[in-house]
Amino acid sequence: MNNAAAAPEHTLRDVVVTAVHDHSPVQVVADPKQPRQPVPASDAADYLKTIPGFSAIRSGGSNGDPVFRGQFGSRLPLLTNGTQLLGACPGRMDAPSSYISPETYDTLTVVKGPQTVVWGPGTSAGVVRFDRERPDFTEPGVRLSASVLGASAGRNDQNVDFQAGNAQVYVRVTANHSHGQDYKDGDGRRVPSAWDKWNTDVALGFTPDADTLLELSTGTGDGEARYGGRGMDGTQFKRESWGLRFEKRHLTPWLAKLQAQVYGNRADHVMDNFTLRTFQPGGSMSMPMASNVRRTTEGARVAATLQWQPDWQLETGLDAQRSPHDKRSGTPSVPYDSKPWMRDAKFENLGAFAELSWQAQADTRWVGGLRLDRAEAWRYPAPSGMGGMAPAAG
Ligand SMILES: [Cu+2]
């Protein structure tokens, strides 16, 4: 309005907006700390479902699998602080989303469709990123944010985010716990859907100047979940993470940003048919048994953002990932943790990417990207007498 300055001033009441915010036609940015209705389950899948275009494959009360425009799994990578955590379960009880507690992150960014090549291979559905941002401590200080939630069916959540620092260094601790009980159906029957999970993460950051960040982080978490539609329950969803990331901005007039990171994420999952339920023979399982699977994903990434003119930008770099999968199994009398781990698969990927964007006009931007990947997968033969798998070829 041209005459806005002449209009009388009104003071409006504060309004909390919880809707997601479209930054561009292909990118959505949301604040995962904002409250939502209906209250999502404790995992990333149920949270993403509140964004248009997402649905979820339900799997018990928590631990769903997000689907975007009909695609899921490796077509929709979920990154936490730029790192990938891949689940270990052959029945996909532990989709990557089940290890992510959205409220412990600062921003959620969804790039819709195969519109970016800079965040790893196979992103045909899109890329989902949960990030903890660099805290601003130009003045020394201590910040604490905490929340509690209670609801029916025994739902109770607790979240804590503690930050302390000064201009040179900061420490940040995030922790959460989430619990839900079985719900009762219309006939008053208990439906197995209970879950319990927790996470703790610590980050130590060094910020020698406003443009430089070096952050060391480590975290762990665990959980359990009952399932109504599966032959086993998840009795362990253990996560162990570590990471080191470096970021420097405004190095030269044309080198706008340099990023480097290394990380490791391990998912160590146990499922059985006797801990969270009374064992009953049926289906393919005639005796009580437990299965322990783990997947350790380690990766590295370097990226440079070049800006030789204000309206041109090139982001280019390399990323690499290595992800072996191990398994072992047991029974109540011969526990799985008395057995050695057996490797059954390994995956490696090396990629190079470049994405060029040109802001042709204020409301017109052209983006083009190229990505080359070299992916390898290994299958390991089971020892004779353990299922009779054929030896891996090649
Ligand atoms: Cu499982």
Side-chain angles (χ1 to χ4, degrees), residues 205-243:
F206 300 94
T207 49
D209 59 58
D211 291 328
T212 310
L213 168 69
L214 180 69
E215 191 189 73
L216 185 64
S217 58
T218 180
T220 185
D222 200 355
E224 58 183 37
R226 266 160 63 79
Y227 297 109
R230 295 177 183 269
M232 286 181 160
D233 297 309
T235 54
Q236 177 180 300
F237 292 87
K238 195 170 172 192
R239 169 185 70 93
E240 286 166 344
S241 307
W242 62 269

Side-chain angles (χ1 to χ4, degrees), residues 89 93 269 271:
C89 182
M93 285 178 187
H269 164 59
M271 52 189 162

Side-chain angles (χ1 to χ4, degrees), residues 232-301:
M232 286 181 160
D233 297 309
T235 54
Q236 177 180 300
F237 292 87
K238 195 170 172 192
R239 169 185 70 93
E240 286 166 344
S241 307
W242 62 269
L244 181 67
R245 63 171 164 159
F246 172 77
E247 198 175 299
K248 192 157 178 68
R249 291 167 187 268
H250 312 304
L251 287 96
T252 67
W254 54 271
L255 185 53
K257 189 160 79 169
L258 199 60
Q259 291 171 286
Q261 70 177 148
V262 288
Y263 68 90
N265 285 314
R266 168 175 284 176
D268 186 342
H269 164 59
V270 179
M271 52 189 162
D272 73 32
N273 55 9
F274 55 85
T275 304
L276 300 176
R277 64 176 74 186
T278 309
F279 171 69
Q280 280 170 336
S284 60
M285 282 175 279
S286 56
M287 51 186 260
M289 50 188 173
S291 174
N292 184 196
V293 283
R294 78 173 175 196
R295 188 162 176 181
T296 312
T297 303
E298 291 168 320
R301 180 179 190 269

Side-chain angles (χ1 to χ4, degrees), residues 325-380:
H325 186 275
D326 306 309
K327 67 175 178 183
R328 58 187 180 180
S329 57
T331 62
S333 52
V334 187
Y336 61 84
D337 52 9
S338 66
K339 305 266 198 72
W341 284 105
M342 307 293 291
R343 177 140 304 174
D344 59 352
K346 190 174 79 172
F347 308 85
E348 282 184 11
N349 194 90
L350 178 66
F353 56 84
E355 193 169 288
L356 183 68
S357 64
W358 174 40
Q359 191 78 42
Q361 281 157 11
D363 56 357
T364 308
R365 188 156 59 113
W366 292 85
V367 183
L370 181 69
R371 187 178 168 92
L372 294 171
D373 281 295
R374 180 175 190 271
E376 284 180 281
W378 290 262
R379 174 164 77 103
Y380 295 83

